[in-house]
Amino acid sequence: MSEKKTHSFRIGVSEFLFIIFFLFSGMMLAFSSKSFVLNFKQIGFNICSAFENGVHHVISFADTNINAVKQIATLREEYEALTEKLKDYEYMQRSNAEIRKENERLKALLNYSVSLKQKNIPARIISFDIENMYSAITIDRGSVHGIKKNMSVIAIQNGNPGIVGKVVMVGHYTSQIMPVYDLKCFVSARIQNTRDIGLVSGNGSFSSPLRLKYIRKRVLEDLNFGDVVVTSGENDNYIPDIPIGVISKITVVDYDSSLNIDLIPAVDFMRLEEVLVINQAETNDREVEE
């Protein structure tokens, strides 16, 4: 039976002292050349720089996001402010357009008012009842302004005059007009080109044609669609030669000696805003102001 030999590594005192001396010498050499200190400082600087760089990036990222949020909020406020300004601008544009149209209407009304020989009173419509069979139009002028019952009323649309109706009720500051399309309204009329006289009456609705009666059948060949029918001026109820409407339909009835003629009213009542009330008993002394 053989015995196993165990080998062990042992350092002697001399070897140990040599190693200690070697390491001590190296350290002294490093300190004397300052390479050890510089390397330590470099390592610390690198670590601090990396940390500062990271903090800087985090702060920059946060600042960028905060600024972006602030910019978005500012842009939203500016957008809302611009939207409101645009609405105001559009409203002003519409208002200016309406004012220009109103000025054009009033200018045309004034020019025609001055051209009339008869005294006339401009008025604005304040109420328009078109639902009843016997309709009424209310204006903002009454007896204190010189309005009297049975005065004729005309309007100017697109620069052209047209019959509206006549005054049937007068208050101190307002009056009511019976429009020409009312069933009880009758106007002595004349066909402009043939000069034949008839009588125009309403059908009870502003959207229905007016009716011209008592025109003889023998003038049928002289009539045309679109011929203008005007006031005749008979009985001084209406001033003469004011358009009432234009011929839109002609019907021949065998048992009747006259024609049934439909007229499209000269006045568009749904666009009616201002009128002139005519006082035929007095002359016009109004002049255009320069």
Side-chain angles (χ1 to χ4, degrees):
M1 201 173 178
S2 59
E3 295 181 356
K4 293 182 178 180
K5 294 182 180 180
T6 302
H7 298 280
S8 59
F9 178 76
R10 294 180 179 180
I11 299 175
V13 175
S14 59
E15 288 86 354
F16 178 74
L17 291 175
F18 176 76
I19 294 171
I20 293 300
F21 178 76
F22 178 78
L23 292 175
F24 180 75
S25 298
M27 291 177 64
M28 291 301 292
L29 180 62
F31 277 112
S32 65
S33 62
K34 298 184 180 180
S35 62
F36 180 80
V37 177
L38 289 174
N39 288 338
F40 178 78
K41 288 183 177 180
Q42 184 67 36
I43 292 171
F45 176 76
N46 290 338
I47 293 173
C48 292
S49 296
F51 177 76
E52 290 177 354
N53 189 42
V55 172
H56 173 72
H57 281 295
V58 171
I59 294 173
S60 297
F61 178 76
D63 287 342
T64 301
N65 288 337
I66 291 172
N67 290 332
V69 172
K70 290 181 178 178
Q71 288 178 356
I72 290 173
T74 302
L75 288 174
R76 183 179 289 110
E77 292 176 357
E78 292 178 353
Y79 172 77
E80 291 175 354
L82 288 174
T83 301
E84 290 300 320
K85 288 183 179 179
L86 180 61
K87 289 180 181 178
D88 293 340
Y89 176 76
E90 291 175 348
Y91 174 76
M92 290 177 61
Q93 287 291 96
R94 289 194 298 270
S95 298
N96 289 337
E98 291 174 1
I99 291 172
R100 285 196 297 271
K101 289 180 180 179
E102 183 178 16
N103 287 339
E104 290 174 0
R105 292 197 313 270
L106 294 177
K107 183 178 180 181
L109 190 71
L110 176 61
N111 290 337
Y112 190 81
S113 171
V114 172
S115 69
L116 288 174
K117 295 179 180 179
Q118 299 83 2
K119 183 177 181 179
N120 53 85
I121 305 161
R124 187 182 298 272
I125 293 173
I126 58 175
S127 176
F128 198 177
D129 182 9
I130 59 175
E131 295 182 354
N132 298 324
M133 183 172 292
Y134 301 103
S135 304
I137 300 173
T138 305
I139 58 175
D140 63 350
R141 292 291 183 269
S143 58
V144 297
H145 305 100
I147 305 293
K148 295 179 182 179
K149 189 176 180 180
N150 292 325
M151 285 184 174
S152 61
V153 183
I154 65 176
I156 310 299
Q157 289 184 333
N158 300 321
N160 300 313
I163 283 292
V164 174
K166 68 177 182 177
V167 176
V168 292
M169 188 179 298
V170 181
H172 286 293
Y173 298 100
T174 61
S175 302
Q176 281 192 345
I177 300 167
M178 180 173 64
V180 70
Y181 60 79
D182 191 284
L183 286 170
K184 296 187 296 182
C185 187
F186 297 93
V187 183
S188 179
R190 186 186 299 275
I191 299 176
Q192 196 172 51
N193 65 333
T194 67
R195 309 308 292 172
D196 287 283
I197 293 180
L199 188 67
V200 171
S201 61
N203 281 318
S205 172
F206 70 93
S207 59
S208 299
L210 304 176
R211 187 170 298 166
L212 174 61
K213 295 182 178 181
Y214 309 117
I215 300 298
R216 298 166 297 172
K217 287 183 176 179
R218 64 181 183 180
V219 301
L220 177 61
E221 294 182 356
D222 298 325
L223 301 180
N224 298 288
F225 297 122
D227 283 351
V228 178
V229 177
V230 299
T231 53
S232 67
E234 302 289 334
N235 302 322
D236 293 330
N237 289 331
Y238 295 88
I239 59 177
D241 297 322
I242 302 298
I244 303 172
V246 296
I247 296 176
S248 60
K249 182 180 179 181
I250 303 173
T251 304
V252 179
V253 182
D254 292 337
Y255 58 82
D256 198 339
S257 60
S258 61
L259 302 169
N260 287 337
I261 301 175
D262 288 348
L263 306 178
I264 297 175
V267 171
D268 185 349
F269 286 90
M270 293 306 294
R271 295 183 176 180
L272 195 59
E273 296 183 64
E274 299 89 16
V275 296
L276 286 176
V277 182
I278 310 300
N279 182 356
Q280 297 191 73
E282 299 182 31
T283 57
N284 186 13
D285 55 359
R286 187 178 299 148
E287 296 181 358
V288 177
E289 296 182 1
E290 297 296 338

